[in-house]
Amino acid sequence: MIDSEATSQQQTQGNQAESTPAEFSRAVESMHEARLRPEITLGTIRPPQRLAPFSHAIGLEVTHPEGQGAIATDSEGDAFGRLILLHDPGSDDSWEGTMRLVAYIQADMDDAVASDPLLPEVAWQWLTEGLSEQNAGYTNLGGTVTSTSSVRFGEIGGPPSAYQLEMRASWTAAGNELAPHVGAFASLLAAVAGLPPEGITEIGR
């Protein structure tokens, strides 16, 4: 009985693998081929269900190299992001394509940066510039940028005030070579986290 159940599961997994479009498989592979700066780590995370016939998700996080101080003077905490690939072979008309990327970023900000009224516009410009610099072809780009602040009262740990930036965006990728899109997303995450340009070493405080 156990052997027959195991065989049935293997057959089901094999059928699912055979039914996965080659276009989607290549897109997933290309996402993990993106070359990232050493301060940013990438890993596979669980994608949301039932948003598209096929989906894949990666998580990116800004890390502090061991033995170094704060990476950036205008970042008070960690920054992380999620990039989700949705693939619909039937091509949703609203996508204008079969590959849709959904991005989310959250980062702690210094109060001087967070209080800038132009921060949402600047953050959005970082995204569009990153896509352009990486030659990542896209259509139907849209999203929101939110800057929030919180103040702690009473007996609670942490700094008296905190500021965060959240960005949600989505766009349709032109083709299934997605490494440039991941590179653009990583560049945006680095900018939001306040990392210095690549090749420039941040002088410790």
Side-chain angles (χ1 to χ4, degrees):
M1 181 67 177
I2 295 178
D3 291 340
S4 62
E5 290 180 355
T7 301
S8 177
Q9 291 177 353
Q10 291 175 354
Q11 291 176 344
T12 300
Q13 292 174 352
N15 292 336
Q16 289 177 344
E18 292 176 359
S19 63
T20 301
E23 181 183 17
F24 174 72
S25 297
R26 175 55 202 156
V28 170
E29 291 176 357
S30 68
M31 293 181 76
H32 293 269
E33 293 173 355
R35 300 180 63 180
L36 309 178
R37 56 191 298 169
E39 301 95 334
I40 296 179
T41 58
L42 182 152
T44 301
I45 61 176
R46 181 179 176 85
Q49 304 299 308
R50 295 187 293 274
L51 292 181
F54 302 93
S55 61
H56 181 73
I58 58 174
L60 289 83
E61 184 175 5
V62 174
T63 59
H64 297 258
E66 185 177 356
Q68 294 186 10
I71 293 177
T73 59
D74 59 347
S75 177
E76 292 295 330
D78 293 335
F80 68 90
R82 297 190 295 266
L83 188 61
I84 302 166
L85 167 62
L86 304 177
H87 176 53
D88 184 357
S91 182
D92 190 321
D93 291 340
S94 64
W95 290 5
E96 296 185 358
T98 62
M99 299 285 180
R100 188 72 177 172
L101 289 166
V102 180
Y104 172 79
I105 279 181
Q106 179 177 298
D108 293 338
M109 308 291 291
D110 182 84
D111 58 352
V113 177
S115 62
D116 187 343
L118 295 179
L119 177 59
E121 287 81 3
V122 172
W124 190 256
Q125 185 176 355
W126 287 335
L127 173 59
T128 57
E129 288 180 349
L131 291 169
S132 177
E133 291 172 358
Q134 293 283 340
N135 294 317
Y138 68 91
T139 59
N140 282 16
L141 172 64
T144 61
V145 180
T146 306
S147 179
T148 62
S149 63
S150 61
V151 180
R152 291 181 172 86
F153 299 95
E155 298 298 326
I156 185 172
S161 59
Y163 303 85
Q164 281 190 336
L165 176 79
E166 287 189 355
M167 175 183 287
R168 302 174 188 271
S170 62
W171 63 92
T172 300
N176 61 348
E177 294 297 326
L178 303 184
H181 296 265
V182 177
F185 183 68
S187 177
L188 166 64
L189 183 62
V192 170
L195 294 181
E198 284 192 271
I200 297 177
T201 302
E202 186 77 22
I203 298 176
R205 297 182 184 179

